[in-house]
Amino acid sequence: MKIISEIFALIRSKSSRKHPALRYFFKSDAIYTRLLKGFVSGDYADDDAAAQDLYQADASDQRYTNTKHRLMNQLISTTLCLNIEQPAHSEYLTNIYSAKRELFAAEVFQFFQLHEAYHFVIRRVLPKAVRYQATDVELRCHEMLRDYHTMYGPAWKANDHARRALNLARVRLDEIHAINTRNRIRAEFAHKTEPRPELALELEEECRRIEANAAEHKSRVLVMGAAATRGLLLQLLGRWKDAREVYFGMLQYLADNPHLANKIRRSRTCRKIVECSMFMRDYETGFKYAEEGFPDQTAEMPSWFNFALMYFLLCMHAGNYGKAAEIFRLVVSREKFHNVAERVEIWQIFEAYLRFVLGPIEKTQLPAHITIYGRSFNIYRFLNEVPHYQQDKRGVNIAILIVHILHLLRERKFEPLDSRIRCIQEYMSRQLRRDDGYRPYYRTEVFLRMLRVMKNKEYNYSAVKARSQRYLDKLHETAAVDPQGDPRVLEILPYEELWNSILRELQQIEQEGCLVQVHSGRIAADH
């Protein structure tokens, strides 16, 4: 049901005209029209509801399954007539789409043994595939030309196309290997609970092989793939400056080859530069490329939310909370925001951090009604709704506990604050310590120790400040983030800035005359 709605939405947005085949198929009284409208409008909650309305039967009824099957076939056939020549698409994407569509037509002609027809179409497609370095399309063109000349001659042409197809098959295998290696590194970033330091040694050899293949073949996929793989590997090692130089080179390659560039690729590369700049604390460069690469609100780009996330974190790290609030409003108001549950959960955490740092100006920059779930933000409800990630991928639980502590301290809720810090202690003993001495989350471990100091010193401003100074010095001596961690959801704000905010709160508590005392193992606040 969801698939049919998505395909129809694509057809409706990308069709330059109403296609005769579609008009014929969807007559006003046709049962296919009723089925499609029911799916798109949401009148049919599921297949059973649709089958009951159309045939007074359940979804297993043969009449219903045949109707749905024919509807799906017609929608898929109609996608061949889409028009993607729109401002959001580049010369590269438009021509790649056109070449693959014509290649499909040639495949159909060959299947029905229209040899002259498919030979004519392939000769049109091949120059386009060569210019835009579509290796897969070029490979198939030479295979089909080989088949044609094998039947009709001359033999030397058949042999020439066979040789070219063999060479392109090797290039395509190298491209696939580059893509697989890059995805392997991405998976290490996205799905790890703790990164493996030995991965760098395994992937270094793979990167060198990809770079050697790129130097030999000059394929766009190989050149860009080699750079992207090298950049990701350097990020995994925490070498943000070197990684950023690689991404600068990718932008230069796209500038030197504008026919191979597209908006999506430029945007993704700019996002990587923003990410590296943020971790280097080079916020000026980060904002420069954020403004250059961030898609506008109407852009239909799959990477929009990823870029928005990185732009938001850049603003938070740079202290530009007004811009961070603006990005938050854009994200939560976007139509597809709630489609991914993990995305909603992450931005719920971001919202709590943002409202903490905005403080008194929150009502003007981020009103309470502008929130994720369409209801006014309530700090007590947020504190009671303690999301827990069973596998704790990417350190999300740490970020949740820290933001709980920040808000509880501001609200002077010392007893639950004490409970959260005990959770921190348990978490450190279970998750952050390793027998081999490897410490992938060093900065986070230091900051969590500072929170323990706050509790041990009974929230006394002077005592906490003095005892935590050595830990603060360690933070200043380290890099901006844990090199083996994932600061996208771990260090949402620089730990140094968070600690300064905590000290300000403790100082204010002291000035207000709150006497924090320990009674029977509990913390209470008396005025």
Side-chain angles (χ1 to χ4, degrees), residues 509-527:
I509 290 172
E510 186 177 273
Q511 293 172 352
E512 292 171 355
C514 292
L515 301 178
V516 182
Q517 299 175 340
V518 179
H519 295 292
S520 302
R522 290 193 317 168
I523 294 182
D526 298 323
H527 290 276

Side-chain angles (χ1 to χ4, degrees), residues 221-238:
V221 172
L222 282 175
V223 172
M224 295 294 288
T229 304
R230 174 62 67 182
L232 284 172
L233 180 57
L234 291 170
Q235 285 185 259
L236 191 65
L237 296 172

Side-chain angles (χ1 to χ4, degrees), residues 55-214:
Y55 296 105
Q56 293 73 54
D58 58 32
S60 62
D61 187 89
Q62 190 65 40
R63 294 169 298 172
Y64 175 73
T65 55
N66 289 341
T67 299
K68 185 177 179 181
H69 181 70
R70 288 195 63 192
L71 173 62
M72 178 66 76
N73 286 345
Q74 184 60 41
L75 290 175
I76 293 174
S77 298
T78 307
T79 58
L80 296 175
C81 303
L82 296 182
N83 169 38
I84 68 164
E85 295 183 7
Q86 298 179 4
H89 295 89
S90 64
E91 172 191 350
Y92 173 79
L93 290 178
T94 300
N95 282 280
I96 289 294
Y97 174 77
S98 173
K100 291 192 174 184
R101 184 173 61 179
E102 292 180 12
L103 176 62
F104 174 77
E107 296 269 13
V108 172
F109 295 153
Q110 186 185 41
F111 179 82
F112 288 104
Q113 300 185 19
L114 303 179
H115 302 298
E116 295 302 326
Y118 90 70
H119 180 252
F120 172 78
V121 174
I122 286 299
R123 290 177 61 189
R124 284 181 44 177
V125 174
L126 183 57
K128 194 179 297 184
V130 172
R131 172 168 172 75
Y132 296 100
Q133 298 185 13
T135 307
D136 53 342
V137 177
E138 186 180 356
L139 169 60
R140 187 61 186 134
C141 286
H142 283 293
E143 288 176 340
M144 296 177 73
L145 289 172
R146 175 202 60 199
D147 296 343
Y148 177 85
H149 289 293
T150 298
M151 290 186 295
Y152 298 104
W156 69 268
K157 282 192 175 183
N159 293 333
D160 182 62
H161 289 298
R163 178 182 56 81
R164 291 175 183 270
L166 185 60
N167 291 335
L168 286 167
R170 296 192 183 100
V171 176
R172 185 57 184 161
L173 283 176
D174 290 337
E175 291 179 349
I176 294 172
H177 175 75
I179 294 170
N180 290 342
T181 302
R182 185 168 71 252
N183 288 340
R184 184 183 175 193
I185 301 178
R186 284 176 176 170
E188 185 73 13
F189 269 118
H191 303 296
K192 64 181 184 296
T193 56
E194 185 175 280
R196 298 182 294 114
E198 64 272 14
L199 182 70
L201 298 177
E202 299 176 16
L203 295 177
E204 177 63 32
E205 184 177 347
E206 299 293 336
C207 282
R208 291 179 179 175
R209 174 183 169 184
I210 296 171
E211 288 166 349
N213 291 334

